Each structure stands twice: as structure tokens, then as C-alpha cells.
Amino acid sequence: MTNTADKPAYTCNDYRIEMILLSLAQRLNKPGLSEAEKQEITAEIKQVKAEMGME
């Protein structure tokens, strides 16, 4: 059995951030994006990850 007291609670905000990152990753993989759009999306991904302490 796993002790859940050792893990931080998974919140709605955590889920929301995951969905934002997933959406950005999907947009990044869309065909036909210009280089400027790719750079903008990549910067946005880095910003969200930095805010969450993931990078």
C-alpha cells in the first residue's frame, strides 16, 4: 500500500497547467506553422514550465 501523505495533493490547478502544456505541445506539432509561431509557442511552454518549477 502507498502512503499518500508523502505526496503533495494533486489540485485542479495542476491539472489545468498540464492541459495548457498539452495544448501548447499539440499546437507546436501542427503542420504549416511559421518559424516565428514555433518560437512563440516554445517560449510560452518554457514560461509555463518555469512558473511551475519544472525547468
Side-chain angles (χ1 to χ4, degrees):
M1 190 176 334
T2 306
N3 185 356
T4 57
D6 295 339
K7 296 180 184 177
Y10 183 76
T11 65
C12 291
N13 192 49
D14 295 332
Y15 178 78
R16 185 179 74 77
I17 295 297
E18 284 183 9
M19 293 302 105
I20 289 170
L21 288 172
L22 179 62
S23 173
L24 290 168
Q26 288 175 337
R27 283 178 50 202
L28 189 59
N29 291 321
K30 268 188 168 177
L33 284 178
S34 70
E35 194 59 38
E37 290 171 313
K38 287 181 184 181
Q39 288 177 354
E40 183 180 318
I41 293 168
T42 301
E44 201 170 337
I45 289 171
K46 285 182 181 182
Q47 179 184 356
V48 171
K49 284 184 174 184
E51 288 174 5
M52 293 302 296
M54 297 173 70
E55 228 176 53

